[in-house]
Amino acid sequence: MSTLPPCPKCNSEYTYEDGAQLICPECAHEWSAGGEAEAASDDTVKKDSVGNVLQDGDTITVIKDLKVKGTSLVVKVGTKVKNIRLCEGDHDIDCKIDGIGPMKLKSEFVRKV
């Protein structure tokens, strides 16, 4: 019988190879042969709006005016934020913005400098 792994989505044993991809004919799920370990590590990687990988201590720039909830303050486009910390949850970045204070930002609204 086949030595290919079962489908990770529906556990079907009828998977087949198509180049570097494995495909399940029952649920149409596609994955790479060594991709299970890669997929787990991709979940922890945070990327900015352009696709650059973010790390703790990076400097970023805000790419959109962001209203600060509960106040009349606005974080303007082009605001530089130094020494960010990555975190889990709805917002990806913990930081301190001059003139505003500690904030949490989403990585989709920033660009790495």
Side-chain angles (χ1 to χ4, degrees):
M1 195 77 184
S2 175
T3 60
L4 296 174
C7 175
K9 207 170 193 183
C10 69
N11 291 324
S12 170
E13 60 185 29
Y14 301 112
T15 58
Y16 64 92
E17 235 175 335
D18 184 21
Q21 296 281 351
L22 295 174
I23 300 173
C24 175
E26 292 184 5
C27 70
H29 180 66
E30 297 181 11
W31 70 100
S32 60
E36 294 175 17
E38 293 172 14
S41 67
D42 285 345
D43 293 341
T44 60
V45 174
K46 305 288 186 205
K47 295 185 178 183
D48 67 359
S49 62
V50 186
N52 298 323
V53 176
L54 295 172
Q55 297 177 346
D56 287 343
D58 281 345
T59 300
I60 58 173
T61 303
V62 177
I63 63 165
K64 178 182 176 183
D65 282 348
L66 301 172
K67 294 179 183 178
V68 179
K69 195 172 189 178
T71 69
S72 61
L73 298 174
V74 175
V75 179
K76 296 285 187 181
V77 170
T79 302
K80 282 191 177 180
V81 182
K82 298 178 183 177
N83 198 18
I84 65 169
R85 291 174 308 281
L86 299 178
C87 61
E88 296 297 321
D90 187 29
H91 293 74
D92 305 324
I93 301 169
D94 266 339
C95 61
K96 187 174 183 183
I97 299 177
D98 293 337
I100 295 179
M103 287 198 67
K104 289 185 173 258
L105 299 173
K106 291 186 177 184
S107 59
E108 63 194 63
F109 299 121
V110 300
R111 180 176 47 91
K112 187 174 179 177
V113 176

